[in-house]
Amino acid sequence: MGWGDVKDWWDEQWDDFTDWVDDVWDDITDWFSPDLSDLEKKFDGTLLNKSSNVAEIPVVYGTQRVGGIITLMAVTGDKNEFLHLILTLCEGPISSINTVYLDDVPSTDERFAGSVWINKHKGEEDQLADADAVAEIPGWTSDHRQQGTAYLYVRLHWNRDVFARRPVITADIGGRLVKNYNHDIVTWSNNPAWCIADYLTHPRYGKRLPESAIDTASLIAAANYCEADISLYSGAPADQPRYTCDGVVDTSRTLWANIKELLSSCNGRLPRINGNYALIIDKDEVDAFAWDESMVLGSISMSGGSRRSRSNRISVGYRNPDNEWRSDTLPVDSAAYLAADNGIAHESRITLPFCISPYRAQMHGELAMRISRDRATVSFITKLAALDHLPSSVGTFSHSSLGWVDQRVRIVRMSLRLDATVAITLKRHDGDLYDLTLPGVYTPPTTTTLPNPLHVEPPTNLVLTEQQHDLYGEALFTWTEAADAFVTDYQAQIRLVAGGSWIDLGTREGTSRTVRNLLPGVYEFQVRSVNDSGVHSGWLTLECTIAIAAVVPRVRGLELFGQGNDHIFTGRDAKFAWREGSLNFSYDLGDEPFGAGSGARDLYFKDYEVRVLDIDKNLLRTEHVTDNWYIYSYEKNVEDDGPRREFILEVYQRGRQNQLSTKAARLRVENAAPAAPTAYKITPDHDSIIVDFDRPSDTDYKGCSVWIGTATGFTRNASTIIYTGANDQFLIDHIGDNSPLQPETEYFIAIRFEDEFGNSGTESVEISATTRKAPVAVIDGTLIGGVVWNGDDEEKIEATVTTDTGDTIVGQFNFGGYCDRHTSAGGVSTDYITGAHARAFAWFEIYREDVGSPTSDTLVAASGDTNNPNYFSGIYTTYYRTEYVPLGFIDQPPAGNYRYYVKYYFRAADARDLLKEKARSFTLTRHRA
């Protein structure tokens, strides 16, 4: 074997171990110099809504605000006034969809009331279709489930005061649920280690690696380092994780490009070591080796990097939540480095796609600047023993010609040579680089925006000057003009508070409005600004009273509806009625709208105040109605800590100024208990008793209680009650101590009805019932008499039983079989063939034969006939499917000795050969009279 073979072997062993180290320190800093314009496009582009049904779906980790992909847009309504959007956000499942914004305004803002409806879906793998979308969007069905995708269903109603165009919709979300390898759970986390592992292993949008391809120990160590609590700024408590991963993965980009961006969140590297991917965080390490000149085989070379590569200012691009989640730039400067560079600025740029904290942006920028200051490396040939250490290991190196004594270094490049030596590059290492200076408290940027043309300032200081007449009122309303230079007019409206509709008073200039011909009452007056584009402000509202003193008459004729003076009501609800009353108004005789006793209302009538009290006169409920009737429903009774079967109802008449009549109409009522059961039927068997009864006509009937005993006059208590429920038929198979009923035994049964109000009715008289004789045991279920073929394509399976007068025979025949398409003659012959399938048609009949007089057999059951047979399917392979035919009967023959048997019928002669049995049974049970 030559050296070429040796090298090939070593390459196979060490490629995975060392293939990352070439240019590793270039990789450390190559993400430090992006194009910031690209960064802005990437960040701000995720806040837009693009329309597509083929676009790649992004992945969100941590916390982020995103726009979405409009995968469906439809309009409905008579005037196309409804716009429907299915807005795909990201891969799911995610932990939450929080605030949704329309043009950066929260959807919960009052301006969107009645114009915006949003349903949120977090992208579970088993999520169902949005029921509202299915109901509202033509062609959208329950099959449109968007499983595994987080999305919004948004419905917008066109309103020119709210929308000038289709709004841009964004949402604050808690990103992907990822696996936490520390606790072996799937949960939300912005730990960079868990997010990187999720992207590496996910089968849909990631690298699709098995978990076994990841070095779990390094992953957990990196996660613990990222989670370690630190202070983010000077004076802050040490309660924040060192690194987080909050951002959007663009799945249309290459896997490696996305992995590099994810690694930037924690200053991490992803080498393959011994065949597995290991996550290594750039940080100070414990020394793993101590080398000197003896490790150098031959010459040694040193490189210090160019002066231009040393930065004294770094611009850090990140996504800033304080800037509407748009891209922002944070400068990191060093006066000391600038002085060391003779005042010549050397600026670099880095981008942090998964950073949303200005403090962590500062930390990354300072570390990048420190690393750039010292790029001193040495390269030489060394011994194979160097391979005992991993790339990125830190140790010491002493060399007299370099003046290095125990100089700390890091391995950044190593490769095996043909002569069994190792080419290695070491970089000077300074652990103090990672001891970063804490920044001061961050001040969010001040955002400036142009005036929103859709925002109109409302008027202020709305007041009322009231002018009264005897019965009608006149009101003058004034207000202060809006502080808005674009306002030209004001729109005013007025309504009665008590159920009145808004009356529009027009839109015109001026800051006052006079309203005439007002009836006495409580009113709402509202006014709003209108700008020169026709856009309105919100309403400014004032409640006022046109106060004319009026005496309100008392209510008379209060009664249970249709029951006169009766105070007993039936059913769940109590309905009351009364006459209307007036002091200064009446109908002419014969013109009453509801009869002579209906009464009339005053013009300033407002409503009736209904009060419900318990029998101790404690107030339970107050309601206001405009009709002269009221229903106190069972549901209201329960809400008032009931139900109560007795209560008091009071009714006052109320005027428009909320004045009440001096006295109330009052009525005390109660609910009647249900009567005793009368119509019932008892059906005994040998071990049970079936009880049927007619439930009472009471609409508040709830159920019954049933007791059973073995002697007349038995005690009704918890040990003898055997049923409580709403059924009007039930089976009794035990007594109170769970002992089963015995054959030929007399039992006594009592029934009592109960209603929803807890009323217990009168129980029934004791019902006596005697159980029947017990049936004989089940005949052996095996086939009796075997199988006998006759010449008519019939098969008999027999079972014999002797009966007494009144006995009942219950039989059950079960057959399972399949069609075998092969025949012994080598041909294929079946009743029916389609493709590779075959069927054999057969049916079964059960007969009773009188053994003492076998001249005439009686048919008792059949599974089919010539026109409606059973069929048994098969396939032209070794596979078959068994079909099952159950056939049962109930027979009551005279006393005698009988043979019951089964006949098989086949539609074709060859079907008998093709039908193969898998299982069959024939059982008889004799139930004695």
Side-chain angles (χ1 to χ4, degrees), residues 36 47 52 97 118 147 195 216 248 334 368 403 425 481 483 506 583 673 706 819 829:
L36 282 183
L47 296 173
S52 176
I97 302 176
I118 298 175
Q147 292 175 323
C195 297
T216 307
V248 181
S334 171
T425 299
E481 66 180 3
L583 293 179
V706 182
C819 177
S829 180

Side-chain angles (χ1 to χ4, degrees), residues 45 52 81 105 141 290 311 322 324 340 449 483 504 585 598-599 605 608 653 683 769 773 819 828 857 875 895:
S52 176
E81 66 269 28
V105 179
T141 71
S311 299
D322 293 320
E324 301 291 347
T449 58
D504 190 75
F585 185 84
S598 62
F605 167 84
Y608 297 101
Q653 188 171 167
T683 307
K773 297 178 182 179
C819 177
V828 176
D857 297 348
I875 299 178

Side-chain angles (χ1 to χ4, degrees), residues 214-225:
I214 296 177
D215 182 65
T216 307
S218 70
L219 184 69
I220 292 175
N224 293 339
Y225 183 77

Side-chain angles (χ1 to χ4, degrees), residues 155-309:
R155 183 162 65 106
L156 305 177
H157 182 254
W158 169 248
N159 184 337
R160 64 176 298 176
D161 296 332
V162 179
F163 308 113
R165 53 173 174 76
R166 189 186 77 205
V168 175
I169 301 173
T170 56
D172 290 339
I173 67 174
R176 274 277 305 173
L177 303 180
V178 297
K179 181 175 180 178
N180 181 319
Y181 287 74
N182 261 329
H183 304 292
D184 196 27
I185 58 174
V186 176
T187 184
W188 178 89
S189 176
N190 62 351
N191 188 308
W194 308 145
C195 297
I196 291 168
D198 177 78
Y199 189 72
L200 289 174
T201 58
H202 200 278
R204 186 165 61 239
Y205 54 74
K207 189 171 173 55
R208 305 179 181 87
L209 292 178
E211 289 187 4
S212 59
I214 296 177
D215 182 65
T216 307
S218 70
L219 184 69
I220 292 175
N224 293 339
Y225 183 77
C226 292
E227 286 182 358
D229 288 336
I230 64 170
S231 296
L232 288 181
Y233 57 90
S234 180
D239 60 355
Q240 295 295 314
R242 175 180 281 108
Y243 292 132
T244 63
C245 180
D246 300 274
V248 181
V249 175
D250 182 355
T251 54
S252 66
R253 304 180 67 211
T254 64
L255 284 169
W256 178 237
N258 287 330
I259 290 172
K260 289 178 69 176
E261 289 191 349
L262 287 166
L263 290 170
S264 73
S265 65
C266 59
N267 202 17
R269 309 292 163 258
L270 197 67
R272 291 186 65 189
I273 300 177
N274 293 333
N276 292 332
Y277 286 92
L279 180 57
I280 297 175
I281 306 296
D282 183 22
K283 62 183 186 303
D284 193 19
E285 306 281 358
V286 176
D287 291 344
F289 58 87
W291 292 347
D292 55 23
E293 295 181 43
S294 64
M295 290 294 292
V296 180
L297 305 179
S299 61
I300 184 170
S301 62
M302 183 175 184
S303 173
S306 67
R307 177 176 299 178
R308 182 173 296 179
S309 65

Side-chain angles (χ1 to χ4, degrees), residues 691 693 695 701-704 706 723-730:
V691 180
F693 61 83
R695 63 174 60 201
Y701 171 72
K702 181 179 181 181
C704 66
V706 182
Y723 178 77
T724 300
N727 292 336
D728 49 16
Q729 181 188 75
F730 50 87

